[in-house]
Amino acid sequence: MQHFYINDITSMEQRFRARFINSLSGFKSANLLGTVSSDGITNLSIVSSAFHIGANPALLGVIIRPDSVPRDSLSNIKQTNYFTVNHVSSMIWQQAHQCSARYPATESEFDSVGLTPEFIDEIAAPFVAESQLKFALKLRQVIPLEINGTVLVIGEIIHVVCPATSVQQDGYIDIESLDTVAVSGLDSYHTTDRLSRLAYAKPELPSAFLDVSGEEIALQRKVASE
Amino acid sequence: MQHFYINDITSMEQRFRARFINSLSGFKSANLLGTVSSDGITNLSIVSSAFHIGANPALLGVIIRPDSVPRDSLSNIKQTNYFTVNHVSSMIWQQAHQCSARYPATESEFDSVGLTPEFIDEIAAPFVAESQLKFALKLRQVIPLEINGTVLVIGEIIHVVCPATSVQQDGYIDIESLDTVAVSGLDSYHTTDRLSRLAYAKPELPSAFLDVSGEEIALQRKVASE
């Protein structure tokens, strides 16, 4: 095993360190953030920093770096109070990555990379038509993180669109069946294979295996109790 | 496609909604958070909310829900100012999940689930010996999120341990080769298969494919430019 001490980290070449540190958190979500400016120009940026904050109310957070590509996103969100989050699947991962190129603010990434904006109801942000799981959020809070100048944007999930068949009887959404991809580092994309779902853990018992629908798998429980 | 409106979300049964909303952000990292109390009792909790905040300084954030299982973690972090983050691999995913059971504060999850605490140098937090990629953080900031009572803990990465062979020439760490798993929802664990790495995106060009080491794959560039 190799050890990297704080001095090793601070003395790394800048882009080397960016790739190294971005690999540390583990696999990340791959999402397209959809927004529109008050002038009506749609914007799409790829983010790997979307994370769950709470289920009731349903809150999602995204870290945005104001001085990098998604600055149009932040400006648009502040203007309209809305944004969408669209899962990146193995059908659109290359177009999604291409959204990280520095297109001018007057140019829509939808056109540049070949994805289709889709407006639903009165929501002032475009969905990605090609995405199989997508949702709209209303801006709830913008928290500047003074420690490094990034911004935590918190939105409340107000509208979810996905295939009915992907939602299991217990509420779990089978995002693997939707071909949602995972990201590692800055630029590596991955499909997934399910090991299993596991039952709610209790101190006295090993966790039972669950099938995708949340039903306990009898054989596994039998093995575990032998 | 099925549409879930805000009223559908708020009227979901509580556990159904928790599984549903937790599925929305996409694939998540699976990490074990290692801490120790001032009494010397080690603690291990599984978190799927660790996320990258910045590379310079190297900052990682974790969302902790004070009223759920990892409350010992937060208390320990505040006491010692240190914590570790340890990747969950396909060798230890069942033990890792078992750490979410509500063990009493006087009992170490290391003992309960059968993982080995490992102390390195003067760092006041235990690593997981069985984890193939792990790092220590010094507490930098605790930000209460008043919107739902959760807490954002920000740490600075001060010491990284991983196999030398997993670190590529350009800084990317091949976490797939370390069998790091991804999580979806509350309880589903997944291994991964790399689609490809992609070169830094530029407006005028489709992104070249990169091999795991970051070298452009000539064939793919040829195909893309034809």
Side-chain angles (χ1 to χ4, degrees):
Chain A
M1 298 290 264
Q2 188 168 356
H3 289 249
F4 297 89
Y5 297 87
I6 183 72
N7 291 342
D8 299 321
I9 295 169
T10 53
S11 63
M12 286 173 178
E13 186 273 328
Q14 185 186 338
R15 287 164 301 178
F16 185 99
R17 182 175 51 232
R19 295 189 195 94
F20 182 86
I21 299 295
N22 267 280
S23 304
L24 292 181
S25 60
F27 287 102
K28 301 183 280 190
S29 53
N31 286 298
L32 286 165
L33 200 68
T35 58
V36 62
S37 71
S38 51
D39 298 339
I41 300 171
T42 55
N43 183 283
L44 206 51
S45 66
I46 185 163
V47 293
S48 63
S49 65
F51 57 93
H52 175 83
I53 293 184
N56 187 25
L59 300 172
L60 184 105
V62 187
I63 300 289
I64 294 184
R65 187 177 303 277
D67 59 355
S68 72
V69 176
R71 65 189 158 191
D72 297 330
S73 303
L74 183 58
S75 162
N76 291 348
I77 292 170
K78 286 178 174 172
Q79 286 173 39
T80 65
N81 277 320
Y82 287 94
F83 59 108
T84 69
V85 169
N86 306 265
H87 277 207
V88 174
S89 73
S90 55
M91 304 296 285
I92 59 169
W93 64 289
Q94 293 180 68
Q95 290 104 308
H97 183 77
Q98 189 62 23
C99 289
S100 61
R102 293 175 184 270
Y103 294 104
T106 52
E107 184 176 337
S108 171
E109 287 81 5
F110 280 101
D111 299 332
S112 310
V113 308
L115 292 170
T116 313
E118 177 185 25
F119 283 92
I120 297 176
D121 296 348
E122 304 299 309
I123 297 163
F127 291 84
V128 176
E130 290 82 357
S131 177
Q132 288 294 295
L133 192 166
K134 46 201 167 191
F135 47 102
L137 303 99
K138 186 170 198 309
L139 178 63
R140 289 292 299 271
Q141 205 170 357
V142 175
I143 302 177
L145 302 181
E146 288 169 15
I147 196 165
N148 74 341
T150 56
V151 173
L152 167 57
V153 175
I154 300 178
E156 180 173 352
I157 296 161
I158 57 163
H159 190 136
V160 179
V161 184
C162 64
T165 52
S166 65
V167 182
Q168 305 300 307
Q169 58 175 2
D170 68 351
Y172 172 71
I173 307 176
D174 183 5
I175 64 173
E176 184 166 283
S177 74
L178 303 178
D179 299 319
T180 296
V181 300
V183 176
S184 66
L186 288 170
D187 57 25
S188 186
Y189 295 84
H190 308 255
T191 58
T192 63
D193 287 298
R194 179 174 290 106
L195 288 161
S196 184
R197 293 183 62 190
L198 292 178
Y200 187 85
K202 294 177 182 174
E204 66 276 10
L205 278 178
S207 274
F209 281 50
L210 305 180
D211 67 19
V212 67
S213 77
E215 291 291 332
E216 203 169 298
I217 299 175
L219 179 64
Q220 296 293 346
R221 171 64 91 188
K222 193 177 163 200
V223 169
S225 64
E226 269 170 359
Chain B
M1 297 290 263
Q2 187 168 357
H3 289 250
F4 297 89
Y5 296 88
I6 182 74
N7 290 342
D8 299 322
I9 295 169
T10 53
S11 63
M12 286 173 178
E13 186 274 326
Q14 184 186 338
R15 286 164 301 178
F16 185 99
R17 182 175 50 232
R19 295 190 195 94
F20 182 87
I21 299 296
N22 268 282
S23 303
L24 292 181
S25 61
F27 286 103
K28 301 182 282 190
S29 53
N31 286 298
L32 286 165
L33 200 68
T35 58
V36 63
S37 70
S38 51
D39 297 339
I41 300 171
T42 55
N43 183 284
L44 206 52
S45 66
I46 184 163
V47 293
S48 62
S49 65
F51 57 93
H52 175 83
I53 294 184
N56 187 27
L59 299 172
L60 184 105
V62 186
I63 300 289
I64 293 184
R65 187 177 302 278
D67 59 356
S68 73
V69 175
R71 66 190 157 191
D72 297 332
S73 303
L74 183 57
S75 161
N76 291 349
I77 292 170
K78 286 178 173 174
Q79 286 173 38
T80 64
N81 277 321
Y82 288 94
F83 59 108
T84 68
V85 168
N86 307 265
H87 277 208
V88 174
S89 73
S90 55
M91 305 297 284
I92 60 169
W93 63 289
Q94 293 180 69
Q95 290 104 309
H97 182 76
Q98 189 62 26
C99 289
S100 61
R102 291 175 185 271
Y103 294 104
T106 52
E107 185 176 336
S108 170
E109 287 80 5
F110 280 101
D111 298 334
S112 310
V113 309
L115 292 171
T116 313
E118 177 185 24
F119 283 91
I120 297 176
D121 296 346
E122 303 301 308
I123 297 164
F127 291 84
V128 176
E130 291 82 357
S131 177
Q132 288 295 295
L133 191 166
K134 46 202 167 191
F135 47 101
L137 303 98
K138 186 169 197 308
L139 178 64
R140 289 292 299 270
Q141 204 170 358
V142 175
I143 302 177
L145 302 181
E146 289 169 15
I147 195 164
N148 74 341
T150 56
V151 173
L152 167 56
V153 175
I154 300 177
E156 180 173 352
I157 296 160
I158 57 164
H159 190 135
V160 179
V161 184
C162 63
T165 52
S166 65
V167 182
Q168 305 300 306
Q169 58 175 4
D170 68 350
Y172 172 71
I173 307 176
D174 183 4
I175 64 173
E176 184 166 283
S177 75
L178 303 177
D179 299 318
T180 295
V181 299
V183 176
S184 66
L186 287 169
D187 56 27
S188 186
Y189 295 84
H190 308 256
T191 58
T192 63
D193 286 299
R194 179 175 289 104
L195 288 162
S196 184
R197 293 183 62 189
L198 292 179
Y200 187 84
K202 294 177 182 174
E204 65 277 9
L205 278 179
S207 273
F209 282 50
L210 305 179
D211 68 18
V212 67
S213 76
E215 290 291 332
E216 202 170 298
I217 300 176
L219 179 63
Q220 295 292 346
R221 171 63 92 189
K222 194 177 163 200
V223 169
S225 64
E226 269 170 358

